[in-house]
Amino acid sequence: MGPGSKRQEIAEIYRRYGPVVSRRCRYLLRDPEAARDATQEVFVKVMRAFHTQRPDASPLAWVLTIATHHCLNVIAARDAAWRQRFVRTETLAREVAEEASGELLVRAEQVRRLLGKLDDETQQIAIHYYVDEMTQEEIGQALDRSLPTIRKRLAKFQRVAQRELGHDVE
Amino acid sequence: MTSSECRTRLHALRRLALGELVGAEAEALRAHTAGCATCAPRLEALEREQAAFAERTDVAGDSARILAALEAAPTTRATAPWWRGPRAWAPLAFALLIAAAVWRLPGPDGAGDTHRLKGGGAALRMYVNQAEGPALAEPGAPLGPGAQVQFRYDAGGHSHVYVVSVDGSGVIGALYPSDGGASVAIEPGADRVLPGSIILDDAVGPERVFALFSRAPLGFEEVEPLVRAALEAHGGDVRAADRVEWAGGDQASVWFLKVP
């Protein structure tokens, strides 16, 4: 594939999945500038893996998987959840409120609040289930994990939610 | 997991909006969405988000940069925000934020250093960016959400510094380094600037920044217990806990008051 064709392919994929990747990065990283950096880095990873995916796989599912995993790694490397407190959040909060229904927003905020209490895999599965509203089967396929494993992680998430929030995440 | 008002999942709506669903499955979902008070606005919001992204994003430019990154390092992970423009690969210095404007920092003001403990040559000063330019923050300075602060130091003959912040609830976190590593190397001399700036959030209460200057790098595992002990010795009062018990170098601290 020539460079012109490759660039067109990238532009098409970027135009199509850029919004959902950008939203995921902003949701997890909160800082707009960090989210822009992460979005670009995610698409480099997406393009490396694009032609290796199974034909029946949902591109959206694995794009979300890559973006979520990347941002969770960024957070882990960044260290200390407290640092989130030093980010200007007012613009971001307004953007998220404008784009999401009230119920989804509340759930997403509950999930984000719990992320620091969970292992990496449970964080990712919880985001895909409660924020992306993927089915357990879709999550298992995207992450190449068995259904019992997905269910176990979600059960763990709810135990942590009960402990930390005093209620389940609905 | 779905909205309580409808069993249709957001993921399915996203797939529909992106054209991943075809045939009967797509037709059925479109028919449902057209008559569903929950799904119709969700789908419209997704379609608006797609359009807005295309309008505000330099898709062609970003795509070219993605291609350049793929060709430059096809099997290795990019570690720098290369997409901002052509430049040499830079080490990832992640945590510090913004400070896009170039500050015209004032020269040494000659004022007595209120942030250096007696007997040492190192010092730490905090500046707050204001409309008229950066201003030195006095101890206990009230700072509201969105205040942009930057730190300057006198190295006092030391080669490294570890900077942490502690708030009134006892949460301790590293400012420099920001990546979980060891103390950052600093320039010799006086009135040097620590790179980047920090924007304060809307949490309120006193906060203190400690700087531990040394001739060998320190890690968070060494610094955190020192700060924790200092805080506990003063009953959790960050305003009173102005030094840590440590003989490994020099130290300085500054405190400010986060206000609504």
Side-chain angles (χ1 to χ4, degrees):
Chain A
M1 178 182 283
S5 300
K6 185 68 175 177
R7 192 175 305 130
Q8 282 177 348
E9 180 186 56
I10 293 171
E12 172 56 31
I13 293 166
Y14 184 60
R15 189 179 293 112
R16 177 176 292 202
Y17 297 102
V20 71
V21 171
S22 174
R23 173 185 277 272
R24 177 51 36 88
C25 294
R26 286 182 291 135
Y27 165 67
L28 285 175
L29 302 181
R30 306 191 76 171
D31 171 47
E33 203 157 301
R36 278 194 294 275
D37 288 346
T39 298
Q40 305 306 311
E41 290 162 7
V42 165
F43 272 95
V44 174
K45 293 180 176 180
V46 165
M47 293 315 302
R48 286 198 186 114
F50 196 73
H51 294 290
T52 66
Q53 297 303 305
R54 297 195 310 272
D56 60 339
S58 162
L60 173 62
W62 62 263
V63 165
L64 278 171
T65 299
I66 292 172
T68 303
H69 186 67
H70 178 83
C71 291
L72 291 177
N73 281 344
V74 167
I75 292 171
R78 192 166 57 183
D79 196 28
W82 73 269
R83 187 177 302 284
Q84 304 278 350
R85 300 176 45 237
F86 287 92
V87 175
R88 188 193 298 274
T89 59
E90 53 230 32
T91 302
L92 204 53
R94 186 172 60 247
E95 287 177 357
V96 173
E98 287 169 355
E99 294 169 7
S101 71
E103 183 177 315
L104 181 57
L105 181 58
V106 169
R107 191 186 313 137
E109 284 302 308
Q110 290 178 350
V111 170
R112 181 164 52 192
R113 199 185 303 180
L114 298 171
L115 291 180
K117 313 289 183 185
L118 304 164
D119 60 274
D120 293 352
E121 187 172 66
T122 305
Q123 289 181 39
Q124 180 132 13
I125 290 171
I127 291 168
H128 288 323
Y129 188 73
Y130 291 104
V131 181
D132 295 327
E133 296 185 0
M134 292 167 69
T135 64
Q136 295 180 17
E137 291 78 7
E138 287 168 336
I139 298 170
Q141 189 176 56
L143 298 180
D144 196 23
R145 302 291 278 163
S146 69
L147 206 50
T149 296
I150 302 299
R151 289 186 183 136
K152 195 173 11 177
R153 296 288 180 266
L154 289 174
K156 177 180 180 180
F157 173 81
Q158 286 294 14
R159 287 197 300 275
V160 172
Q162 272 291 346
R163 186 184 73 218
E164 299 293 330
L165 304 177
H167 57 80
D168 285 350
V169 171
E170 299 295 337
Chain B
M1 176 49 51
T2 62
S3 160
S4 61
E5 299 172 8
C6 174
R7 295 177 64 83
T8 303
R9 295 170 180 271
L10 176 63
H11 188 64
L13 291 175
R14 278 179 170 161
R15 295 191 68 203
L16 181 67
L18 289 169
E20 283 191 13
L21 297 183
V22 295
E25 190 179 5
E27 286 175 20
L29 186 52
R30 280 215 179 273
H32 162 79
T33 302
C36 177
T38 298
C39 292
R42 286 180 114 189
L43 185 60
E44 285 171 20
L46 291 172
E47 290 167 347
R48 275 200 309 274
E49 186 179 46
Q50 293 289 130
F53 181 83
E55 284 175 14
R56 71 169 185 262
T57 305
D58 177 13
V59 173
D62 288 350
S63 301
R65 284 185 279 271
I66 292 170
L67 178 59
L70 285 167
E71 291 173 342
T75 58
T76 57
R77 177 174 169 271
T79 58
W82 48 268
W83 65 275
R84 289 202 184 105
R87 65 176 185 178
W89 290 99
L92 181 64
F94 178 77
L96 297 178
L97 311 168
I98 311 184
V102 175
W103 286 11
R104 289 197 304 276
L105 292 175
D109 56 20
D113 191 331
T114 59
H115 308 304
R116 172 172 48 199
L117 296 171
K118 288 183 180 177
L124 181 75
R125 289 176 293 278
M126 187 169 80
Y127 284 81
V128 183
N129 197 17
Q130 298 176 345
E132 58 272 22
L136 178 67
E138 294 298 323
L143 301 175
Q148 186 179 14
V149 301
Q150 191 177 57
F151 295 99
R152 302 173 76 180
Y153 64 90
D154 299 342
H158 299 86
S159 58
H160 293 81
V161 71
Y162 203 108
V163 183
V164 296
S165 168
V166 57
D167 67 13
S169 66
V171 175
I172 299 170
L175 294 176
Y176 299 85
S178 57
D179 59 356
S183 301
V184 297
I186 55 176
E187 298 174 11
D191 208 37
R192 304 300 187 192
V193 178
L194 282 171
S197 67
I198 293 171
I199 293 180
L200 305 185
D201 72 344
D202 57 0
V204 296
E207 300 209 13
R208 183 174 288 277
V209 174
F210 286 94
L212 271 61
F213 297 85
S214 59
R215 293 188 174 84
L218 304 172
F220 187 70
E221 65 280 1
E222 299 167 85
V223 174
E224 192 269 351
L226 297 173
V227 175
R228 177 85 48 211
L231 197 59
E232 288 173 0
H234 290 85
D237 186 352
V238 299
R239 291 166 295 188
D242 63 350
R243 64 167 294 125
V244 301
E245 290 303 315
W246 177 62
D250 204 353
Q251 61 181 290
S253 75
V254 56
W255 82 276
F256 51 97
L257 184 64
K258 302 274 292 299
V259 298

